[in-house]
Amino acid sequence: MGFKEELKREMRNATNDVAKEVEKHWLLDFEGHTIEISNKMMEETVKVDGEIIAQNTRKSIWSHIVPYSTLSGTFTGKNGKKHKVHVKIGGFVKLNLTVKVDGQKLLSDVQSFQFFPWKNKDFIVPYLENQFAEHGKLLNKELPDDAFLYDENHPRLAPGLADQLVNESVLPMYTKKLIKNFLQQVENPTDENRKVTYEKINDEKVISYFHEFLVLFSEAEKDEARVQKEALWLLEHAAHREVVKFALLVLGTTDCENIKERLKIIALHEEFTGVALFALSNGSRNANNAIWSIAKRVTDWGKVEALNFLEADTEEIRLWFLTDGVEDMVPGSHAPLMCAEKGKLDIELHEDTITDSIFDGVSKLLMALLYEGQYRQMDDYEYAGQVLMRYTKHAKTHCQTIHHFYVLTQIFEYVNESDDIWEERFDENWKPHEKQAVETNIQEISQQTQWFEEAKRIFEENPENIGAQAIMSFYERNA
């Protein structure tokens, strides 16, 4: 987005913040009548028993250059007597209110404006925790600060995607200045010091200085208990997602055993999965099972982050990488390669026999590795030749569904690419006999005409079915 759009968003957010801070309400009782005074950005109102008796409406926020409004109105009391209400309200730095009824002062009040960036907003982490406490899960992807980030010029992004798009580091000295501000907050945790840190955090995305922060912060002298206390304050009062991420980053440098359950809840939202799992894995003991539990519940970019942290330290987890690792995954991410490597796909397929469930799961994993486009990972997989040779051999026993055969057609497309591509593959991760074996195995399985007949039937019912199209095309070219 251009500078103009960014400026419009900043102005909109600043105006909204001011509007929320200046909105004040007072209730008074006068001889059994309720007098209500409301001050808002664009109007001031006086009501008696719910009826408006005086109102001042502003046409522009610039009309506040005249700081005070005077409102007068009358109402009839229960005894039939008319009473006159006079209200004076306004001020630049402080909001001064004077209320008189029949010339007698009923109220005089002064309220200071406090423009703290977290004030008058919904806090993100309590929002997530309340949702989890009520439903045992997070019901939606929305966050309280969505309105702060998105508008007609800034389309909504999938949770976690924005961090994947960041490829620039912060300006020199930014991280040092942020650490200095935060440590000043730790030493003297006033609202003013917290405001300085908070606003500095919102200047940049945490992912852009994540590693630099860890290095520099580890070198700083600090009291861990006080650091954690202020990080928790930020976590609990953050109304903006980057502040949540910063707090989690700092917490990951401390002992998080006492907040382990809280971190697990926050990690369930894909916007925070990565940094929450950093805090969980770096700041608590025996975290891998907790990470696995989260990996099974998050999707898309959150699952990509969870797979990064998850280790196959048990046979159950290793097999899960092969059978379920790529479920609910973002197409084209690096997750399939992680699943193949952490699940030891090459070793699993070298077994003489495998189960139907393993074959079915591996079929999905291979399709993800074969994903076309600039993110195809099969060519980056060290054991590509061995794995596809062994998979097609196992397929002679386990190819039982039209989807399984569709996978074989996609492997066949992959091995029938140009000679130039194969020169590179033979130099990297293939041997000629592996390529030959893959082609032979697929040709042998394709002799079973049931796959063509089933694909034809599916195509007649739904001509848009990609699998049926691919299988029919395979048979036409290899008749």
Side-chain angles (χ1 to χ4, degrees):
M1 292 297 166
F3 174 77
K4 184 177 179 180
E5 287 75 18
E6 287 293 335
L7 183 61
K8 284 176 63 178
R9 180 170 67 172
E10 291 299 320
M11 286 295 295
R12 179 203 71 201
N13 290 331
T15 301
N16 289 341
D17 286 348
V18 172
K20 290 177 181 178
E21 178 59 24
V22 302
E23 184 172 336
K24 307 291 182 184
H25 300 273
W26 294 265
L27 288 176
L28 299 86
D29 179 75
F30 176 78
E31 296 182 357
H33 297 276
T34 299
I35 301 175
E36 179 182 357
I37 300 100
S38 298
N39 180 79
K40 297 182 180 180
M41 173 73 84
M42 302 299 290
E43 68 177 29
E44 297 88 23
T45 304
V46 180
K47 294 181 181 179
V48 176
D49 297 333
E51 297 290 329
I52 296 176
I53 65 168
Q55 187 174 47
N56 176 46
T57 302
R58 301 177 185 273
K59 295 181 179 180
S60 166
I61 61 172
W62 302 111
S63 61
H64 280 274
I65 197 70
V66 179
Y68 283 92
S69 294
T70 301
L71 300 94
S72 296
T74 60
F75 70 96
T76 303
K78 295 179 179 179
N79 58 3
K81 179 182 177 182
K82 285 190 175 296
H83 300 283
K84 184 174 183 180
V85 180
H86 180 85
V87 175
K88 185 178 182 182
I89 186 171
F92 282 124
V93 179
K94 295 182 179 181
L95 189 64
N96 297 272
L97 173 74
T98 302
V99 182
K100 294 181 180 179
V101 179
D102 299 335
Q104 294 186 350
K105 187 181 292 185
L106 193 63
L107 175 67
S108 180
D109 188 32
V110 179
Q111 295 197 21
S112 298
F113 294 129
Q114 295 180 312
F115 294 105
F116 294 119
W118 58 84
K119 196 174 179 186
N120 301 310
K121 300 180 179 73
D122 293 327
F123 299 145
I124 293 175
V125 169
Y127 166 82
L128 297 177
E129 290 177 331
N130 290 339
Q131 197 176 131
F132 185 85
E134 184 175 353
H135 304 284
K137 60 182 179 179
L138 303 185
L139 295 178
N140 53 58
K141 307 296 184 183
E142 288 77 18
L143 288 172
D145 68 337
D146 281 354
F148 175 81
L149 292 173
Y150 305 126
D151 57 25
E152 66 277 6
N153 297 310
H154 302 82
R156 185 184 302 274
L157 299 177
L161 175 57
D163 285 346
Q164 304 293 327
L165 301 177
V166 174
N167 54 18
E168 295 181 0
S169 57
V170 295
L171 293 173
M173 302 304 294
Y174 172 85
T175 308
K176 288 185 178 180
K177 179 63 175 176
L178 176 58
I179 291 174
K180 180 180 178 181
N181 290 342
F182 178 65
L183 291 179
Q184 287 175 343
Q185 172 186 333
V186 170
E187 290 301 313
N188 187 19
T190 64
D191 280 345
E192 288 300 329
N193 282 340
R194 287 165 171 164
K195 178 183 178 182
V196 171
T197 304
Y198 195 109
E199 291 178 339
K200 189 70 174 176
I201 294 168
N202 270 336
D203 285 345
E204 298 284 354
K205 287 189 171 295
V206 172
I207 193 66
S208 63
Y209 58 84
F210 192 101
H211 297 292
E212 180 187 11
F213 179 91
L214 291 176
V215 173
L216 296 178
F217 198 62
S218 68
E219 298 169 354
E221 293 185 12
K222 52 194 176 293
D223 182 306
E224 181 175 315
R226 297 172 74 175
V227 164
Q228 185 176 89
K229 181 178 179 181
E230 283 307 298
L232 284 172
W233 187 93
L234 287 171
L235 188 73
E236 292 161 358
H237 292 80
H240 302 83
R241 62 191 64 188
E242 292 305 315
V243 180
V244 174
K245 294 174 187 177
F246 177 83
L248 292 169
L249 172 59
V250 174
L251 287 170
T253 68
T254 69
D255 185 347
C256 294
E257 202 66 35
N258 59 322
I259 57 169
K260 198 170 183 176
E261 295 305 313
R262 300 186 73 182
L263 295 176
K264 288 161 64 176
I265 294 172
I266 299 169
L268 291 176
H269 195 288
E270 286 80 358
E271 184 67 31
F272 307 116
T273 303
V275 68
L277 291 186
F278 163 76
L280 190 66
S281 61
N282 204 55
S284 66
R285 297 177 292 278
N286 304 317
N288 203 55
N289 277 337
I291 295 171
W292 186 31
S293 173
I294 292 161
K296 290 186 286 187
R297 301 183 69 174
V298 293
T299 62
D300 299 323
W301 294 111
K303 191 164 186 179
V304 173
E305 294 289 358
L307 293 179
N308 274 319
F309 284 94
L310 182 61
E311 297 298 331
D313 60 359
T314 68
E315 184 69 358
E316 188 178 10
I317 296 177
R318 184 187 72 79
L319 292 177
W320 180 86
F321 271 110
L322 300 180
T323 58
D324 297 289
V326 295
E327 292 284 354
D328 301 317
M329 185 56 66
V330 178
S333 71
H334 63 283
L337 191 56
M338 276 196 294
C339 288
E341 292 172 345
K342 292 187 176 184
K344 298 180 180 178
L345 176 60
D346 57 313
I347 294 175
E348 185 66 32
L349 291 184
H350 265 283
E351 296 290 335
D352 291 335
T353 60
I354 60 174
T355 65
D356 286 342
S357 62
I358 291 292
F359 182 82
D360 191 58
V362 167
S363 298
K364 298 172 187 175
L365 175 53
L366 291 180
M367 282 298 293
L369 287 168
L370 289 167
Y371 180 82
E372 292 186 0
Q374 60 178 324
Y375 300 109
R376 173 182 278 182
Q377 296 172 69
M378 186 61 80
D379 284 335
D380 296 326
Y381 183 35
E382 181 180 3
Y383 304 109
Q386 294 179 41
V387 159
L388 291 182
M389 180 179 68
R390 296 295 299 177
Y391 174 82
T392 54
K393 181 179 179 181
H394 285 299
K396 295 178 183 180
T397 302
H398 294 283
C399 183
Q400 299 172 353
T401 69
I402 194 74
H403 176 72
H404 292 156
F405 191 77
Y406 169 61
V407 176
L408 293 175
T409 67
Q410 300 311 291
I411 295 173
F412 196 81
E413 292 288 331
Y414 173 79
V415 298
N416 279 275
E417 292 183 346
S418 69
D419 291 341
D420 289 341
I421 291 176
W422 274 104
E423 284 185 21
E424 295 180 11
R425 288 175 180 170
F426 287 141
D427 287 339
E428 296 291 333
N429 53 3
W430 278 82
K431 294 181 174 59
H433 78 274
E434 294 169 341
K435 178 177 182 291
Q436 181 62 48
V438 169
E439 293 174 323
T440 300
N441 291 337
I442 294 175
Q443 291 284 6
E444 181 180 331
I445 297 169
S446 69
Q447 298 306 309
Q448 303 172 30
T449 58
Q450 70 189 75
W451 305 120
F452 176 77
E453 297 299 331
E454 188 170 349
K456 183 179 179 181
R457 178 185 59 78
I458 293 172
F459 180 79
E460 289 173 350
E461 295 176 355
N462 179 16
E464 302 298 320
N465 188 285
I466 294 175
Q469 292 176 5
I471 292 171
M472 293 179 67
S473 176
F474 168 85
Y475 276 103
E476 289 172 1
R477 294 197 307 271
N478 296 279

